[in-house]
Structures are given as structure tokens and as C-alpha cells.
Amino acid sequence: MMKRQALRVLAVVGLSGTLVTGCSGSSEDARRTDRPSASATSSSPSVERVPSKVQAAEKVKSAVEARLSADEARFGSGTNSPCSTSSPQVFTAKCEAAADATSGAADLALREIGGRQGFATLDSTARKVRAAVRTYGTLGCATGPTAANTRTACMEPAAVIAQGFPDLRSGANAGLLGK
């Protein structure tokens, strides 16, 4: 019984191989091999587009990274930022300078993207950073506000600014993946 099933499987596999490889030997088959297949011609344009998208993503990443590295070395980021909500400098000109640098990096990222597709994460992060910097400035956070409600309102944009450099870097990395 098992021998019969094994022979049946071999027969089916053998016939499948003949059908898949198309071994009919007709002159029509010979003519088809002279022309590129439809799949070969339709995939060529997408193959050409991929390198240009990759090049664009690498260009954006490189430009943004250079700016981020310089500004991050100068101002720090996260808990090392003067805009960290735990920093005594969060309500000073030092945080305002870091905010301006972070906003400048966000502006650079948006210019580098230039409306290209595949940078949704970087685009939304840059816009979020710019909005936080505007709010920080509008509230007068760098002038050492004394009103408790203003100080509290300054915390959210300050936190976004403090995390701005790493978030922009993550967005630029996501652009390499087309996100």
C-alpha cells in the first residue's frame, strides 16, 4: 500500500516538473525565449526606483545626523538636556538655546525630506518638535515663569524638546526603511 502511494507521489512530481518547465519543444517556445518575459520587463522600473529611494533616504539621514550630532554634543539630550523636566535649567535661556537648535534640526529634516514619500515618521517627529518649541516660546518658559500653571504647562513641550534629538534620529533611521 505504501509502495503504491510512493509511486503515485513520484508520478505526480514528475508530471508537475514537466508542466512547470514547459518541455514541449515547440517552435513557439523557442520564439518566447527570444523576448524578455513580461515579469522581467515590468520589474525593471521598480528595480531602478529602489536605488534612488535608498539614495534619498541616505542623503536625508546623513544631513540630519550631522546636524543632530553637533547640536546634541553641545546641548545634550534626554535627561542630559537643559530642557529635561528634571533639569534646573528648564526655565532658562540655556533651554531656549537648546530648543532653538532642536527646532533648527527639525526644520533641516523637513527641508531634506522635501515632500518625498517614505519619511512619515521623520516628518511627524519634526512637526511635533517644532510645535513644542513654539509652545515653549509662547508660554515664556525660558523667562523663569513664577505662575504654577505656566510652569506646569511648560513641562510637556520641554520634555519633547529634551527628547527631540534622539527622536529625530529615530525618524531619520525609519526613513531608511521607508517609514
Side-chain angles (χ1 to χ4, degrees):
M1 180 76 167
M2 286 183 61
K3 192 174 188 179
R4 181 180 282 172
Q5 287 177 335
L7 288 173
R8 191 176 296 160
V9 169
L10 285 174
V12 169
V13 170
L15 286 174
S16 298
T18 303
L19 292 173
V20 169
T21 58
C23 296
S24 69
S26 71
S27 61
E28 187 176 323
D29 289 338
R31 278 185 269 138
R32 273 189 276 177
T33 59
D34 292 341
R35 291 179 277 160
S37 69
S39 63
T41 56
S42 67
S43 67
S44 296
S46 65
V47 170
E48 291 172 10
R49 278 184 255 144
V50 171
S52 65
K53 285 182 180 181
V54 171
Q55 287 174 347
E58 287 175 351
K59 180 182 178 279
V60 168
K61 168 80 168 107
S62 178
V64 171
E65 181 60 42
R67 174 72 180 261
L68 293 175
S69 294
D71 288 344
E72 194 169 26
R74 183 172 171 208
F75 295 106
S77 63
T79 58
N80 296 320
S81 169
C83 296
S84 169
T85 57
S86 63
S87 172
Q89 298 173 328
V90 72
F91 299 111
T92 68
K94 181 90 172 168
C95 178
E96 184 176 41
D100 290 342
T102 308
S103 181
D107 290 342
L108 172 66
L110 291 171
R111 279 193 310 274
E112 287 294 322
I113 292 169
R116 291 186 192 108
Q117 291 183 349
F119 295 96
T121 303
L122 182 56
D123 183 78
S124 67
T125 300
R127 292 180 191 286
K128 180 179 176 181
V129 165
R130 286 182 4 175
V133 171
R134 273 193 309 275
T135 301
Y136 183 86
T138 301
L139 292 171
C141 300
T143 62
T146 55
N149 61 341
T150 302
R151 291 175 76 86
T152 300
C154 288
M155 290 294 129
E156 186 177 340
V160 171
I161 295 164
Q163 193 59 36
F165 295 135
D167 287 351
L168 288 166
R169 183 175 287 112
S170 293
N173 288 336
L176 291 173
L177 302 172
K179 297 179 181 180

